[in-house]
Amino acid sequence: MKQKVALVLGSGGARGTAHIGVIRELEKRGYEITSISGTSMGALVGGVYAAGKLDEYESWLRSLGKMDIFNLVDFTLSTSGIIKADRVLKEIQKFIPDHIIEELPISYAAVVTDFKQKKEVVLTEGSLFEAIRASISIPLVITPVLKSDTIFVDGGVLNPIPTNRVERQKDDILIAVDVNSRIANQKPIVENPDLGHFEKLTYGKLKDFQKKLSSLFPAHTHKKENTGVGYFNLISETSSLMLSQISKLTLEISPPDILVEISRKAFGTFDFYRTEEIIKTGRNAAIVALDNYKKSLL
């Protein structure tokens, strides 16, 4: 009889691609994933897996080069975000049709943040892709989702590792994946930490965006200080620090049986072009965590 698993997949931008590697290792060892909760990229990967389409999604990700990813980014000069993310989800829907969450073969919950009400919302019914789109709305980067009188943003704002939102079954074990861990990392994030590849590609778009912001919010005529920190790296580092701290507190309140940890410094938030390396890192982290758990039972 297979060991049942309640799987919790945390947020973390491109680092969330490591969830694929974790799932692959669980499958290899014969675990049965019976329920999933996820936030942001965790909601995306978890939703795709629950729909039975992880093979297709992984193959598509591995096929993308740097320019392919850049071309999928739909920029908008909005003050609420600079990427709409609709283009990439439409591309995914070409090979993964939308599903009704309550009809999925695996129990699924996507965590989002209700910006107006300042509260966490758990989506367990309705359109899978609408739930994913709402959960990945990284503040200041990906535009929020407007639905009725509600504004949804990234669930990671309040609950980046929703261990308290996954459905439990008798005799299952709770496994959580933290891709914002403060554990040490052996490799640098990118070749140039001050200006990652994604930011180089988007430099022209960012200049237009910054001009728009300047016209909306004119600054006083002070000499601007050049910090040497680019827009995307600033967003990446600050959001990573925030997620790391909230994740730590969440895991203390609702600890899993097994915690799979990937360093927040392993990859940048926008390093989606490093799919193969990220997936391998996730699998290696799962191997370590599962082996340690096995030893603890002896």
Side-chain angles (χ1 to χ4, degrees):
M1 186 175 178
K2 291 185 175 181
Q3 171 64 63
K4 294 179 181 179
V5 170
L7 184 62
V8 180
L9 304 177
S11 61
R15 287 187 300 279
T17 307
H19 296 317
I20 297 174
V22 175
I23 291 172
R24 293 308 189 199
E25 186 59 27
L26 290 173
E27 289 177 326
K28 179 183 176 183
R29 296 187 183 217
Y31 288 93
E32 180 187 0
I33 299 171
T34 52
S35 58
I36 295 175
S37 70
T39 297
S40 199
M41 269 298 288
L44 173 54
V45 175
V48 169
Y49 179 78
K53 296 292 184 178
L54 190 62
D55 288 348
E56 291 87 340
Y57 177 65
E58 182 180 350
S59 295
W60 175 70
L61 273 182
R62 289 181 181 275
S63 72
L64 298 177
K66 295 176 183 179
M67 286 308 300
D68 295 318
I69 293 171
F70 174 65
N71 290 331
L72 284 171
V73 177
D74 42 357
F75 286 98
T76 176
L77 294 179
S78 165
T79 54
S80 59
I82 63 173
I83 299 170
K84 288 191 289 187
D86 297 331
R87 189 180 298 168
V88 67
L89 286 179
K90 284 180 181 178
E91 190 67 25
I92 292 173
Q93 283 182 291
K94 289 180 181 179
F95 56 92
I96 302 176
D98 197 6
H99 290 68
I100 301 301
I101 294 175
E102 53 267 44
E103 295 177 0
L104 292 171
I106 296 174
S107 172
Y108 171 80
V111 175
V112 302
T113 299
D114 183 331
F115 180 75
K116 279 193 172 182
Q117 299 296 320
K118 314 296 188 224
K119 67 178 183 180
E120 177 186 341
V121 175
V122 184
L123 302 178
T124 56
E125 58 184 31
S127 164
L128 174 62
F129 274 94
E130 284 185 10
I132 290 171
R133 174 62 182 84
S135 190
I136 65 172
S137 302
I138 304 171
L140 299 179
V141 179
I142 298 178
T143 54
V145 171
L146 310 179
K147 191 171 183 179
S148 299
D149 251 1
T150 308
I151 300 176
F152 287 137
V153 298
D154 195 321
V157 171
L158 294 176
N159 196 353
I161 307 181
T163 50
N164 59 335
R165 300 304 183 190
V166 66
E167 184 178 291
R168 302 299 303 274
Q169 294 190 15
K170 184 180 179 181
D171 297 326
D172 68 9
I173 58 173
L174 180 61
I175 298 179
V177 186
D178 179 8
V179 296
N180 293 294
S181 175
R182 295 188 180 186
I183 61 173
N185 182 60
Q186 303 299 319
K187 298 179 181 179
I189 297 176
V190 290
E191 295 80 3
N192 181 347
D194 291 327
L195 193 63
H197 186 85
F198 187 84
E199 186 166 356
K200 291 175 184 175
L201 288 174
T202 56
Y203 182 65
K205 295 290 185 180
L206 287 175
K207 284 177 67 178
D208 292 339
F209 178 70
Q210 288 166 346
K211 285 180 182 178
K212 174 106 183 240
L213 285 182
S214 296
S215 66
L216 292 173
F217 306 104
H220 295 295
T221 56
H222 292 305
K223 183 179 179 181
K224 293 183 179 179
E225 181 182 354
N226 181 7
T227 62
V229 179
Y231 181 87
F232 277 103
N233 281 303
L234 181 61
I235 291 292
S236 174
E237 281 299 298
T238 53
S239 63
S240 179
L241 283 168
M242 176 190 73
L243 293 175
S244 178
Q245 183 61 25
I246 299 175
S247 297
K248 180 183 176 183
L249 296 174
T250 301
L251 292 170
E252 288 176 357
I253 295 170
S254 184
D257 297 300
I258 301 174
L259 177 61
V260 180
E261 296 181 280
I262 289 96
S263 172
R264 68 180 184 85
K265 292 187 176 182
F267 304 96
T269 303
F270 306 102
D271 285 355
F272 288 97
Y273 62 94
R274 301 173 69 181
T275 293
E276 185 171 353
E277 188 181 351
I278 298 174
I279 291 175
K280 184 176 181 181
T281 298
R283 188 160 200 161
N284 289 339
I287 290 171
V288 171
L290 292 170
D291 285 350
N292 287 340
Y293 176 72
K294 188 176 179 179
K295 290 176 183 176
S296 71
L297 298 177
L298 297 177

